[in-house]
Amino acid sequence: MARRLLAPNRRSDTRERILESATILFGTRGFDSVSLDQIAAEVGIAKQSLLYWFASKDDLIQAVLVNMAAELTVVVEAAIRSAPDMPLDRLEAVIHAVFRPAVRRPALLGLLRELSRLPTGAAEHLTEILNPLVTRAGTWLRTEMQAGRLRQGDPSLIIALVYATVAGIATEPEALRVVGWSQDVIGLRKLRNELTSFLRAALAP
Amino acid sequence: MARRLLAPNRRSDTRERILESATILFGTRGFDSVSLDQIAAEVGIAKQSLLYWFASKDDLIQAVLVNMAAELTVVVEAAIRSAPDMPLDRLEAVIHAVFRPAVRRPALLGLLRELSRLPTGAAEHLTEILNPLVTRAGTWLRTEMQAGRLRQGDPSLIIALVYATVAGIATEPEALRVVGWSQDVIGLRKLRNELTSFLRAALAP
DNA sequence: ACGGTTCTCTACCAAATGGTAGACAATCTC
DNA sequence: GAGATTGTCTACCATTTGGTAGAGAACCGT
């Protein structure tokens, strides 16, 4: 697992390309539904070359998950830092930030849905990365509520609402289609705008 | 596929037991991650007995989906009919109704998430069952809004919000755990209550 | 030029998967 | 009671899966 650290990687983006393809495939079709052969074919290499970079499928899954958590963290942290100071405006900025990767790479959030398919405890170390993010958002919301700049409520619900909406809708266009909704009825951008104005109405003090 | 219609089924609940086990397993772990052997073992029969009742895995999946759609329809329709007349109260009643199967059988809603893993068009006939449900809810919300009994907004968002929250949270306890939330922080019942009061705040005229 | 490292490949394997063929027992119909 | 139907099973099969063994090419520092 630390092999990569010992060897100076000369010039090979293979590992990154594998991670990228694996993220998309795993996120859209699930861990169990995607074979190493398919990922390798997508990257354009042989399966055994893939197994050179990642010792096993589990290894690859772990790497993909850590990658995803790090990427989400960067996006959200940046949004929080650079957002305006008014709580509702900042909330909107964060929501926009969360929606952005969802729009461009729905697979990223699809990975979160895949966590339940892992053996128990297999994603434990993700907690270290994602928990601070959620905790920080929660304490910020609570502070604003106590300061009277947001209506009282449960910060956890706000976060859960945003997460569920983005993850649930962004990664499930098929479920929406089956229900009879086209992308016109509830496309991602429209959904984002509706959600923010909705939260504004619900949270204005 | 019509074999069952020709033969009068004497006394055998095997088919129903298979459907029940398959619903739970498919809904929690996904179509591709569950083998016919596992389902058969859960029911307590041999795989070949399962294949006697359902000609193929695809057949079984289709049957499970139709079953799910019908069950959801019954629950929601009943809630709409027997709910009080005040729009916010009725909305709350419907939300409670949607949460009920999610609490007792999260797998039922988990099946909706699985739709995206099906080959394109494989779940087309589900539209006939589920679309009327969603359409009906949408027109009702719109009517109430136009009558001034609910604040103006996009009915689609309300429905999407409720669906995403229930489906996203109910069927993904693992994702919540990874983020660092225990069931205490955002258990289903608490979430349901928070969501309804939240919607009340946002939708009161 | 040479020995070692890095990287990709072909060939192969054991296990699991969806599915078929058909035997056998219980039950129903007449 | 005889024959057909219904339901469950054991045995088997072709394909796919994750993974191993090891050969060979390209590149490195010396």
Side-chain angles (χ1 to χ4, degrees):
Chain A
M1 83 183 222
R3 197 197 311 164
R4 277 294 83 197
L5 296 179
L6 301 176
N9 41 350
R10 258 194 292 282
R11 55 106 208 269
S12 173
D13 56 346
T14 308
R15 196 186 145 90
E16 281 68 29
R17 280 162 52 219
I18 294 173
L19 273 180
E20 178 65 21
S21 294
T23 298
I24 294 175
L25 287 173
F26 282 151
T28 52
R29 307 207 329 246
F31 296 139
D32 287 346
S33 312
V34 177
S35 69
L36 296 182
D37 265 320
Q38 290 169 26
I39 298 173
E42 182 76 21
V43 178
I45 60 175
K47 175 178 67 172
Q48 289 68 15
S49 303
L50 190 159
L51 283 168
Y52 171 79
W53 294 100
F54 301 92
S56 69
K57 188 175 185 177
D58 281 341
D59 264 33
L60 177 57
I61 290 176
Q62 291 302 324
V64 164
L65 288 177
V66 170
N67 218 35
M68 173 271 289
E71 200 168 329
L72 279 186
T73 301
V74 168
V75 170
V76 174
E77 294 273 4
I80 292 179
R81 261 196 308 277
S82 69
D85 200 48
M86 286 295 296
L88 285 175
D89 295 335
R90 177 172 285 193
L91 185 63
E92 179 168 343
V94 172
I95 290 177
H96 277 236
V98 175
F99 263 81
R100 200 166 307 129
V103 171
R104 293 208 313 222
R105 299 174 61 198
L108 207 65
L109 289 170
L111 286 175
L112 282 172
R113 289 182 7 201
E114 284 297 307
L115 294 178
S116 55
R117 311 239 159 107
L118 261 43
T120 317
E124 218 56 51
H125 59 286
L126 280 190
T127 306
E128 299 172 24
I129 308 179
L130 293 177
N131 189 15
L133 203 61
V134 174
T135 303
R136 184 171 166 193
T139 49
W140 172 69
L141 285 171
R142 197 170 293 110
T143 307
E144 294 291 339
M145 285 174 180
Q146 280 165 357
R149 313 215 298 169
L150 289 180
R151 186 184 302 182
Q152 291 289 335
D154 187 340
S156 305
L157 178 76
I158 316 295
I159 299 173
L161 219 55
V162 173
Y163 160 70
T165 309
V166 179
I169 306 296
T171 63
E172 291 173 45
E174 198 60 25
L176 297 182
R177 270 202 45 260
V178 167
V179 156
W181 279 346
S182 66
Q183 286 283 39
D184 292 344
V185 176
I186 191 122
L188 269 184
R189 279 166 200 77
K190 182 181 174 192
L191 181 72
R192 184 196 60 196
N193 296 334
E194 289 284 340
L195 179 62
T196 50
S197 70
F198 188 82
L199 284 176
R200 279 180 183 278
L203 288 178
Chain B
M1 84 182 220
R3 196 198 309 165
R4 277 293 82 197
L5 297 178
L6 301 177
N9 43 349
R10 258 193 292 283
R11 55 108 208 271
S12 172
D13 56 347
T14 308
R15 195 186 147 90
E16 281 69 29
R17 280 162 52 218
I18 293 174
L19 274 179
E20 178 64 22
S21 293
T23 298
I24 294 176
L25 287 173
F26 282 149
T28 51
R29 307 208 326 246
F31 294 139
D32 287 346
S33 312
V34 177
S35 69
L36 296 183
D37 265 319
Q38 288 168 28
I39 298 173
E42 182 75 22
V43 178
I45 60 176
K47 174 178 67 172
Q48 290 69 12
S49 303
L50 189 160
L51 283 168
Y52 170 79
W53 293 100
F54 301 92
S56 69
K57 188 175 185 178
D58 281 341
D59 264 33
L60 176 57
I61 290 175
Q62 292 301 325
V64 164
L65 287 178
V66 169
N67 218 36
M68 173 270 290
E71 199 168 329
L72 278 185
T73 302
V74 167
V75 170
V76 175
E77 293 273 6
I80 293 179
R81 260 199 307 278
S82 68
D85 201 47
M86 287 297 295
L88 286 175
D89 294 335
R90 177 173 286 194
L91 184 63
E92 178 169 342
V94 173
I95 291 177
H96 276 237
V98 176
F99 263 81
R100 201 166 306 130
V103 172
R104 291 207 314 220
R105 298 174 61 198
L108 207 65
L109 290 169
L111 287 174
L112 282 172
R113 290 185 3 205
E114 284 298 306
L115 294 178
S116 54
R117 313 242 157 100
L118 261 42
T120 317
E124 218 55 52
H125 60 286
L126 279 190
T127 306
E128 300 171 25
I129 308 180
L130 293 177
N131 188 14
L133 203 60
V134 174
T135 304
R136 186 172 164 191
T139 49
W140 171 69
L141 283 171
R142 197 169 295 111
T143 307
E144 294 291 338
M145 285 174 180
Q146 280 165 359
R149 314 216 295 170
L150 289 181
R151 186 185 304 184
Q152 290 289 335
D154 187 340
S156 303
L157 177 76
I158 316 296
I159 300 173
L161 220 54
V162 173
Y163 159 71
T165 309
V166 179
I169 306 296
T171 63
E172 291 172 47
E174 199 59 26
L176 297 183
R177 268 202 46 258
V178 168
V179 156
W181 279 345
S182 67
Q183 286 282 36
D184 292 343
V185 176
I186 190 121
L188 269 184
R189 279 167 198 77
K190 181 182 174 190
L191 182 72
R192 184 196 59 196
N193 296 333
E194 289 284 341
L195 179 63
T196 51
S197 69
F198 190 81
L199 284 176
R200 280 180 182 276
L203 289 178

